[in-house]
Amino acid sequence: MLLKKLTEAMGPSGFEDEIRNVIREEVTPYVDKHYTDVLGTLICEKGVNKNGPRVMLDAHMDEVGLMIVHVEENGLLRFRPLGGIDPRVLVSKPVQIGPQKRFGVIGAKPIHLQSPEERTKPLSLKQLYIDIGAKDKDDALSAVKLGDVAMFTTKYEEIGDHCAKAKSFDDRVGCAVLVETLKAQFDLPLYGAFTVQEEIGLRGAGPVAYRLQPDIAIALEGTVCFDVADAPGHGQSTIMGKGPALTVHDGQTIANRRFLEFMMSVAEKYSIPYQLRRVKGGSNDYGAIHKVREGIIGGGISVPVRYIHAPTQLISLDDYQNTIRLVSAILTELAKGGFTA
């Protein structure tokens, strides 16, 4: 299954080689041309000689991860995060490290040895380490090296009422939406950009938008969802199962009102459920794309992800399928001239 392939592949920010190869293999039969830019973004072209607006669909390949920065004399590994990770969710989690995917577990001082004061405070990054079972520093360095990256080991699984759990739904769910969209035919010039290094500052999206010069760009993303018990309505951002979320305002963007209303009207025309992303925190690649050259019109469409940036994340498969439907409907309407940039 596509979501399983994408979520289980390795690809922390700056180390997207494995996930890029997986995506390239998936899209090659369906696109006219594909290539990689100097930063590592995978660019796919389809029907670029057709009439109509040049549309770029963006989804970032990278996931949050950890980088090994020091090895203690006893063989334990110190690390720093790549992207926004809450250290409180890390202790005891299994990881895979480096190209060889050496198994390790994130450890900390056991509660039996903590002082009463220590027990009242959440663990910080400096109190955590990765244990790979090495007997000493030399043994550890024979298996991993400084600068290696680690990822969580969570496997994809469908659970509950049409839901799925995995690591890296941010943004492998957006990548899956883009792959499925590239399999279809649309009567306009279409570019798919699987970008790099979004989690550390939207770094890959700007250069590819500068290169392609699209008339319209849409970022496909997994976004924060906090619809659990006791969450106030104004702090939920999105609700899982209520459809794809359209960005109104986030940390990098205020939505173009005309294009937002166009996307809403398309969803309503095709009877596709949708919601508005209701908090301003965070962002997605459109935050970098819309500022390129003279400015690029467009927006963001996101799949709600519970427990985002954590080792195990949760989505509704209905939201995923409805996002594919909405993107397809928007491209169909753009090809008919339903919106002028």
Side-chain angles (χ1 to χ4, degrees):
M1 181 182 180
L2 181 60
L3 279 174
K4 178 177 175 64
K5 286 184 181 179
L6 298 186
T7 56
E8 293 183 3
M10 179 176 250
S13 300
F15 297 82
E16 296 92 349
D17 303 65
E18 181 179 319
I19 180 60
R20 181 172 54 247
N21 289 338
V22 172
I23 292 172
R24 182 187 290 115
E25 182 178 357
E26 287 289 329
V27 300
T28 294
Y30 304 102
V31 300
D32 302 328
K33 181 180 179 181
H34 62 74
Y35 49 95
T36 302
D37 73 7
V38 69
L39 293 183
T41 291
L42 176 63
I43 303 166
C44 302
E45 298 182 357
K46 188 161 185 170
V48 297
N49 294 320
K50 293 180 178 180
N51 295 322
R54 294 162 56 90
V55 179
M56 181 179 109
L57 300 179
D58 160 283
H60 69 89
M61 296 184 290
D62 60 312
E63 62 188 305
V64 295
L66 311 170
M67 178 178 282
I68 309 305
V69 296
H70 179 73
V71 181
E72 300 287 357
E73 291 299 324
N74 60 6
L76 298 177
L77 312 179
R78 299 292 182 178
F79 61 88
R80 69 169 58 121
L82 285 174
I85 300 179
D86 185 346
R88 295 174 296 180
V89 304
L90 293 180
V91 67
S92 81
K93 301 303 187 297
V95 294
Q96 294 176 327
I97 307 166
Q100 304 305 315
K101 297 187 178 178
R102 178 66 181 260
F103 181 84
V105 62
I106 300 174
K109 182 193 291 189
I111 193 169
H112 313 71
L113 304 181
Q114 294 175 16
S115 68
E117 182 182 3
E118 286 176 321
R119 295 177 190 176
T120 65
K121 299 178 181 178
L123 293 168
S124 65
L125 283 171
K126 67 181 181 180
Q127 294 172 285
L128 302 175
Y129 51 81
I130 298 175
D131 190 339
I132 60 171
K135 63 182 180 181
D136 55 29
K137 182 175 183 178
D138 290 339
D139 189 30
L141 287 172
S142 71
V144 301
K145 63 181 184 296
L146 299 183
D148 276 348
V149 291
M151 68 172 188
F152 303 119
T153 63
T154 310
K155 299 299 183 183
Y156 176 89
E157 183 181 2
E158 295 185 11
I159 64 172
D161 185 12
H162 212 215
C163 295
K165 63 93 176 172
K167 72 170 184 66
S168 68
F169 277 131
D170 179 16
D171 181 33
R172 305 295 168 71
V173 68
C175 291
V177 170
L178 180 46
V179 169
E180 295 293 359
T181 301
L182 289 172
K183 292 179 180 180
Q185 298 295 328
F186 300 98
D187 195 19
L188 47 65
L190 183 60
Y191 298 83
F194 298 91
T195 59
V196 298
Q197 299 185 42
E198 191 268 359
E199 297 293 1
I200 55 174
L202 318 182
R203 295 180 182 179
V208 70
Y210 189 92
R211 177 177 190 150
L212 297 178
Q213 302 182 53
D215 298 308
I216 295 169
I218 301 173
L220 307 174
E221 179 68 292
T223 196
V224 61
C225 175
F226 185 61
D227 59 349
V228 297
D230 300 324
H234 68 276
Q236 291 179 352
S237 179
T238 61
I239 298 175
M240 200 171 78
K242 296 295 185 180
L246 308 180
T247 297
V248 178
H249 176 205
D250 64 24
Q252 296 285 337
T253 310
I254 296 176
N256 177 278
R257 195 70 201 177
R258 285 199 310 122
F259 195 74
L260 176 61
E261 290 174 351
F262 165 72
M263 292 194 293
M264 294 165 63
S265 69
V266 170
E268 291 162 5
K269 177 178 179 179
Y270 287 77
S271 300
I272 301 170
Y274 73 92
Q275 58 188 304
L276 300 180
R277 186 182 184 276
R278 300 189 303 278
V279 294
K280 70 175 184 178
S283 188
N284 57 50
D285 272 344
Y286 186 66
I289 293 168
H290 80 282
K291 294 180 283 189
V292 168
R293 293 186 184 268
E294 297 89 354
I296 299 173
I297 203 166
I301 303 175
S302 302
V303 177
V305 179
R306 282 185 189 158
Y307 324 120
I308 199 167
H309 285 204
T312 302
Q313 304 166 18
L314 197 67
I315 66 165
S316 160
L317 293 172
D318 291 333
D319 289 341
Y320 167 60
Q321 293 295 337
N322 281 322
T323 302
I324 296 171
R325 290 179 59 211
L326 179 56
V327 174
S328 176
I330 288 170
L331 293 176
T332 298
E333 292 300 311
L334 288 173
K336 294 178 181 178
F339 180 87
T340 303

